[in-house]
Amino acid sequence: EDQVTQSPEALRLQEGESSSLNCSYTVSGLRGLFWYRQDPGKGPEFLFTLYSAGEEKEKERLKATLTKKESFLHITAPKPEDSATYLCAVEGLGNEKLTFGTGTRLTIIP
Amino acid sequence: EPEVTQTPSHQVTQMGQEVILRCVPISNHLYFYWYRQILGQKVEFLVSFYNNEISEKSEIFDDQFSVERPDGSNFTLKIRSTKLEDSAMYFCASRLIGGDKSPLHFGNGTRLTVT
């Protein structure tokens, strides 16, 4: 069974203070690893898909990286509007479902 | 940018009643999904739907649940006899194609409250 563990559960940063969120996973053949952002009362908003170890993707202040066992979401010089819950999910080969972690609740303090 | 839309945004129902949650996926997408999120918990997979049939379902998706694509645009989730533990946010999602080249796009959910 696919499993995803995210850490930390919550993270408070000062505006401009860079950090990283971790996503550890186990899956029997990785089809894709997904990062989503979720604001309160909203649905997950797609950020990135990573497919193979060594891959990196960037979008504004966010950069996602992937190894065979974990993924990191690096946030550089965050702003208050980056405050949200960041979700990691994996999809294994041969199935049609995403398995989500519990997320990291990120708060950026002005 | 095209988006997945869900109605209603909030549904309150009494235990034992039937509810239908509605979704309009992105128009050219071919794969459709329902997920749910109980307050404070993970987003959980319920069911995937392709080519007018269920392609995969979870243990949560028992005989009380059903899905339908009644026309070319809507995708519905029916719960026949709601229980208190069905209270959750229900998210519809769609993707263009199956596999690793197409991410899932989620709607903003229907908050179901069973009293």
Side-chain angles (χ1 to χ4, degrees):
Chain A
E1 186 176 329
D2 302 342
Q3 290 191 331
V4 176
T5 302
Q6 292 188 246
S7 63
E9 287 187 12
L11 182 63
R12 290 171 63 90
L13 300 172
Q14 293 291 327
E15 185 173 357
E17 181 184 1
S18 301
S19 188
S20 297
L21 313 182
N22 177 263
C23 170
S24 298
Y25 66 92
T26 55
V27 63
S28 53
L30 181 68
R31 174 179 279 174
L33 183 141
F34 300 81
W35 282 98
Y36 286 86
R37 169 190 171 128
Q38 187 176 30
D39 292 300
K42 302 288 187 181
E45 175 188 346
F46 172 71
L47 294 173
F48 305 108
T49 312
L50 301 167
Y51 302 112
S52 57
E55 190 174 1
E56 300 182 352
K57 287 193 176 172
E58 288 189 64
K59 179 179 179 179
E60 296 181 356
R61 296 176 291 282
L62 301 176
K63 179 180 176 181
T65 62
L66 181 65
T67 72
K68 288 186 178 180
K69 293 185 177 181
E70 56 191 352
S71 176
F72 292 92
L73 185 66
H74 307 277
I75 300 177
T76 302
K79 298 181 178 181
E81 53 262 41
D82 295 323
S83 297
T85 296
Y86 290 85
L87 304 175
C88 174
V90 295
E91 185 175 33
L93 295 173
N95 64 51
E96 280 290 335
K97 64 178 183 181
L98 299 189
T99 298
F100 281 85
T102 52
T104 294
R105 188 172 66 253
L106 177 67
T107 304
I108 308 300
I109 304 162
Chain B
E1 185 174 327
E3 59 182 29
V4 176
T5 58
Q6 292 186 242
T7 56
S9 57
H10 192 189
Q11 174 92 45
V12 181
T13 189
Q14 289 192 328
M15 195 167 49
Q17 295 296 304
E18 174 184 289
V19 294
I20 297 176
L21 310 183
R22 302 181 191 279
C23 169
V24 178
I26 295 173
S27 62
N28 61 340
H29 284 190
L30 300 178
Y31 288 76
F32 314 113
Y33 306 82
W34 285 100
Y35 285 75
R36 80 173 186 188
Q37 187 175 30
I38 294 171
L39 188 64
Q41 297 187 24
K42 295 182 183 183
V43 176
E44 301 176 287
F45 168 78
L46 293 178
V47 66
S48 58
F49 190 86
Y50 170 70
N51 200 25
N52 281 321
E53 61 182 25
I54 291 173
S55 50
E56 190 168 349
K57 61 183 181 179
S58 71
E59 292 178 353
I60 303 167
F61 194 88
D62 61 22
D63 292 344
Q64 293 300 312
F65 291 87
S66 63
V67 289
E68 191 178 32
R69 187 155 164 82
D71 53 42
S73 59
N74 291 285
F75 181 52
T76 62
L77 174 69
K78 181 192 290 186
I79 309 174
R80 289 188 182 80
S81 178
T82 51
K83 305 174 209 165
L84 293 175
E85 53 264 37
D86 293 327
S87 295
M89 281 287 283
Y90 287 81
F91 294 110
C92 175
S94 68
R95 77 196 309 180
L96 179 59
I97 56 175
D100 57 8
K101 300 302 181 186
S102 174
L104 270 70
H105 294 272
F106 286 82
N108 279 325
T110 293
R111 180 175 299 283
L112 177 65
T113 302
V114 182
T115 62

